[in-house]
Amino acid sequence: MTVDLEVASTMELVNALSVIATELASREAPESAAACLELTETLVAASDMQESALAGFIGRVDACGEQARWGYPSTQAWLRSRLGMRDNRVKERLVLARQRHRLPEVCVQLASGDLSYGYAVTVADSVSRLDDTDCAEAEATLLGFVDQGFSAGKVAAFGRRIRDLIADRDDSEDAPDEDTKRGYDKSWLTTTRSLDGGRYVKGWLNPEDAAIWDGTLAPLAKPARPDDRRDLPERTAAALSSVLSGGHKASKVTVICDLETLTGGNAPARLTDGTPIPAAQARRIALAAGVSPLLLGRGNTPLYLGYRERFASAAQRQVLETLYSSCAVRGCEVPGTLCEVDHVHGWALGNSPTDIDQLALTCGWHNRFKHTNPDQIQITKDHDGRYVYRLLPPADARGTRGAGPPGSIGPPDNPALDWAA
């Protein structure tokens, strides 16, 4: 295929690049190690320049909120679920996309191939907490260190030092967290003050403490009302403040285990998200929280309420939390304990009674999205009987490149498609 670079649209260039990448990926590496070394350096340099364009694309999506039209509550969720990025890569690309307008020289050098993606992300992360004046000075300083040949790790260390100096200048405490190695038996928590008087929180909770955390905060972190537009991190912070101020009620921790485990057996228990809990820890939680049986079926617990009840019962919710470790929407990572009970086929429409086999858990954002955009949700059941909701593209985007099922990534079927600019 041939592409006239002077007249080709951005879409046509991306289309051509996708075809070339597909062909390149199908080829075997050359026998010559020296050739492979040279090709690697050339390909990495080209990939870094692509990251410049990618930062612009992601930044525009993020600023306009386009991802919400496709069923993703945040840009992070879109990058994780749709494009399969790990959290670290998501963070890197979002930081660069959101800081690029404050880093003109970094953008110029990245786009021209004079600065690697690793250095660009390091500088962007280093200035993310600085005001515009300090950001401009820090950009020049850090790029100077790059020119001197310091590694990206060293430049990151210089960036932390710059933040420390600014904190000293402003008589505040913005020292970075101590990143010391700790085991996974004991929980730990550190906090550091930010320049504006807030605090950054970092820590680790072992499974036992994590169960208490979830059981205490999950009920308090749900949307307060239908028009509650706070995202999950904001609601979680508000829930933690409520607990610390004493404005919470007794916590609930759900541990799933056999009776034998509670009476001295060694069979592990599990939390509702599937995390295994040693038998000894399960017994300690039971001693502190008390025990109530959970019957997964009709039995003595009323799990089938028909149309006479609009809202699911506490018993039904307990069952659902054991079935759904996270939101029923495929790719959504909101824990089931923080989700809302959803009538799969719509209670108000008369199609979904409040019966356990007609209910699922969805996060508040996707619950609203499902009922306002029903044509963008495909509902199926997995082999365990759980409902699975799959996101579909908006109606005006179907049939275009990249509009296949979420998670499907690949080149267009027809490389000759004519794209508009």
Side-chain angles (χ1 to χ4, degrees), residues 155-273:
V155 173
F158 291 139
R160 290 192 294 269
R161 180 57 181 155
I162 288 174
R163 290 201 298 268
D164 291 345
L165 291 174
I166 291 174
D168 290 339
R169 180 199 68 190
D170 297 339
D171 193 26
S172 62
E173 300 177 11
D174 190 33
D177 293 339
E178 291 293 332
D179 201 10
T180 56
K181 293 184 178 180
R182 295 179 174 88
Y184 293 97
D185 294 327
K186 296 181 179 179
S187 299
W188 59 271
L189 190 69
T190 62
T191 66
T192 54
R193 290 184 59 186
S194 64
L195 295 176
D196 59 2
R199 283 193 175 273
Y200 297 102
V201 181
K202 179 181 180 180
W204 158 259
L205 299 178
N206 63 30
E208 183 177 354
D209 291 338
I212 297 173
W213 170 283
D214 292 338
T216 302
L217 296 186
L220 304 175
K222 298 173 184 176
R225 52 193 179 278
D227 61 344
D228 188 350
R229 299 303 181 187
R230 297 174 301 167
D231 60 17
L232 177 58
E234 291 172 338
R235 297 199 306 271
T236 301
L240 180 60
S241 296
S242 175
V243 171
L244 295 177
S245 63
H248 67 291
K249 299 180 179 179
S251 62
K252 181 196 73 175
V253 178
T254 301
V255 177
I256 304 166
C257 64
D258 298 330
L259 178 62
E260 180 184 352
T261 299
L262 289 181
T263 56
N266 295 321
R270 66 178 177 89
L271 302 179
T272 54
D273 63 359

Side-chain angles (χ1 to χ4, degrees), residues 116 118-119 122 146 149-158:
S116 74
Y119 279 122
T122 298
V146 174
F150 288 101
S151 68
K154 283 290 186 181
V155 173
F158 291 139

Side-chain angles (χ1 to χ4, degrees), residues 123-139:
V123 175
D125 183 60
S126 297
V127 305
S128 60
R129 301 178 194 172
L130 306 182
D131 60 30
D132 290 345
T133 301
D134 289 331
C135 173
E137 295 181 7
E139 179 190 27

